[in-house]
Amino acid sequence: MSRTYFENVYRTGSDVWSHIPYHQEIAQYIDSMPGEHPYILELGVGRALSLLPLKNTRHKLFGIDTNPQVIRETKEQIRKEKIKNIGVVEASADEIPFTDEAFDLVSDGGIFTYLSDEEIFRVVKEVERVIKPNGFFLHIGYSIKTTSLYGYRPRKDELQSQEFIKFGVPHRIFSEHFLKNRFLKHFDQVFHEERTYDSRTDPGEQLVLNFIGYQRK
């Protein structure tokens, strides 16, 4: 991944993810988790847009991101608002700085879009380590039903991943079948929903996101 690219994205809000309310859906899925005080971790937390709507809930919310500037800014916002149930840490998703079986749910925050197969395997291994028995993993990513994304038109292919380059950064699209069969063999899929948004990158483009929930076997 290009750290320079993502630093610019965070500074300017210039990527497609910054312009859609997908974080609201993530918050809804998190809030539906069972348990009195579920522990939640978001990978690639960024500005914590998925966690801040839950600042007054029963959840214990944590996020990690490799961008030191955005982590500093998010920590400052948490401090100013005196939020007690959210914490963020500068860290990589393939070296999660938490103990084994610490979380009821882990969300990938959309980062699989920018990772190679080798990187995803490393991240999934860490996710498996930190999720409690029977805990949940929430994946968010581009759907093959997206009509066009930065001019790329996804193939309706359930068996393969797809990749295109934009701003020098690979963007990947996974079908639910490919994701499960390739990377998440130790999880059972428990739900799959799709949400459609105006992508705002080009007029008339429709961005479709997958929200797929898995349970650790």
Side-chain angles (χ1 to χ4, degrees), residues 27 34 73 90 97:
E73 293 172 354
E90 181 187 346

Side-chain angles (χ1 to χ4, degrees), residues 5 15 40 59 65 72 74 80 103 105 113 116-117 147 154 161 167 179 185 191 200 208 215:
Y5 167 77
D15 72 318
I40 311 298
H59 307 294
D65 202 289
R72 287 194 299 270
T74 303
K80 286 183 177 179
F103 296 99
L105 181 147
T113 298
S116 67
D117 278 16
T147 57
S161 67
F167 305 124
L179 196 66
K185 295 180 180 179
F191 69 81
R200 303 187 188 180
V208 183
Q215 188 169 25

Side-chain angles (χ1 to χ4, degrees), residues 100-163:
D100 297 357
E101 299 182 1
F103 296 99
D104 300 282
L105 181 147
V106 176
S107 166
D108 72 20
I111 66 170
F112 281 16
T113 298
Y114 308 104
L115 301 181
S116 67
D117 278 16
E118 181 181 349
E119 289 170 323
I120 293 175
F121 279 122
R122 292 203 302 267
V123 171
V124 169
K125 185 177 181 180
E126 278 290 87
V127 168
E128 291 174 351
R129 180 182 66 80
V130 300
I131 286 182
K132 294 178 182 178
N134 300 314
F136 295 88
F137 175 61
L138 175 62
H139 165 72
I140 304 95
Y142 301 132
S143 167
I144 60 175
K145 294 182 181 179
T146 296
T147 57
S148 180
L149 183 63
Y150 297 124
Y152 177 80
R153 297 186 179 278
R155 305 184 308 275
K156 304 303 183 282
D157 188 340
E158 290 288 346
L159 301 179
Q160 301 294 327
S161 67
Q162 303 175 50
E163 180 177 313

Side-chain angles (χ1 to χ4, degrees), residues 167-197:
F167 305 124
V169 176
H171 294 66
R172 301 187 68 185
I173 301 173
F174 305 100
S175 72
E176 60 175 308
H177 300 292
F178 180 86
L179 196 66
K180 173 69 172 68
N181 295 335
R182 177 68 169 161
F183 302 113
L184 298 169
K185 295 180 180 179
H186 295 153
F187 291 83
D188 291 320
Q189 184 173 317
V190 293
F191 69 81
H192 175 209
E193 296 185 13
E194 295 174 328
R195 304 292 179 94
T196 301
Y197 311 89

Side-chain angles (χ1 to χ4, degrees), residues 19-74:
H19 303 298
I20 58 176
Y22 78 101
H23 55 276
Q24 298 175 6
E25 277 77 18
I26 296 177
Q28 291 172 10
Y29 288 120
I30 290 174
D31 203 33
S32 66
M33 281 291 296
E36 292 300 319
H37 298 286
Y39 284 78
I40 311 298
L41 173 66
E42 182 168 357
L43 312 177
V45 70
R47 302 183 186 90
L49 297 178
S50 304
L51 304 185
L52 289 171
L54 301 169
K55 62 185 179 181
N56 295 316
T57 67
R58 58 193 166 87
H59 307 294
K60 308 299 182 184
L61 304 157
F62 300 85
I64 63 173
D65 202 289
T66 58
N67 188 305
Q69 178 181 344
V70 78
I71 287 294
R72 287 194 299 270
E73 293 172 354
T74 303

